[in-house]
Amino acid sequence: MNHSQWKTRRTRKFLGESVEESAAYTEAGYAFALGQAVHDRRTGLGLSQSELARRAGMTQPQISHIEGGDSVPTLPLLTRLAKALDASLSIDLDGDHAAFAFTAHDHHRPDEPASGGSSSVA
């Protein structure tokens, strides 16, 4: 088969062809969605990667790798990230679907609007 005959996954799906996703492809989607949730919460707080790293006892490159979907942190590290982001982390795993949501801790006064959370889905 030459390159002109290759079809992307998206093209095959569009044409109604069956597309099987490898385990590595699915895992990469999870890592990317988690990274996006970290990025969204961090930028929502106005934090730099360096500041988040300092708060979580990590390095800036580690934060960059997580946000880029290049690594999946352990549960203890996710706990530190959630604390550093002043939020709780909800993970919903359902077959090939995953959702990651950081929800801000409720520290507002009754007369202030609550700040929302952010989520990312794979």
Side-chain angles (χ1 to χ4, degrees), residues 1-97:
M1 174 183 292
N2 66 37
H3 294 301
S4 66
Q5 295 173 325
W6 286 359
K7 294 179 191 171
T8 63
R9 297 172 51 74
R10 182 176 176 200
T11 300
R12 288 185 294 183
K13 281 184 179 181
F14 180 73
L15 294 173
E17 297 176 13
S18 74
V19 178
E20 291 187 31
E21 295 180 349
S22 69
Y25 184 86
T26 301
E27 289 171 16
Y30 296 163
F32 181 77
L34 173 62
Q36 187 65 53
V38 171
H39 174 269
D40 292 346
R41 178 66 181 156
R42 177 183 62 78
T43 57
L45 291 171
L47 299 175
S48 66
Q49 287 184 344
S50 296
E51 177 59 17
L52 176 56
R54 185 193 66 73
R55 289 181 178 197
M58 300 171 63
T59 65
Q60 180 275 324
Q62 287 175 306
I63 298 295
S64 179
H65 285 291
I66 292 168
E67 288 187 359
D70 298 326
S71 69
V72 178
T74 62
L75 290 175
L77 189 53
L78 286 172
T79 301
R80 290 188 358 231
L81 275 172
K83 184 176 180 181
L85 291 168
D86 192 26
S88 60
L89 172 60
S90 298
I91 302 173
D92 179 15
L93 302 174
D94 185 13
D96 291 336
H97 170 80

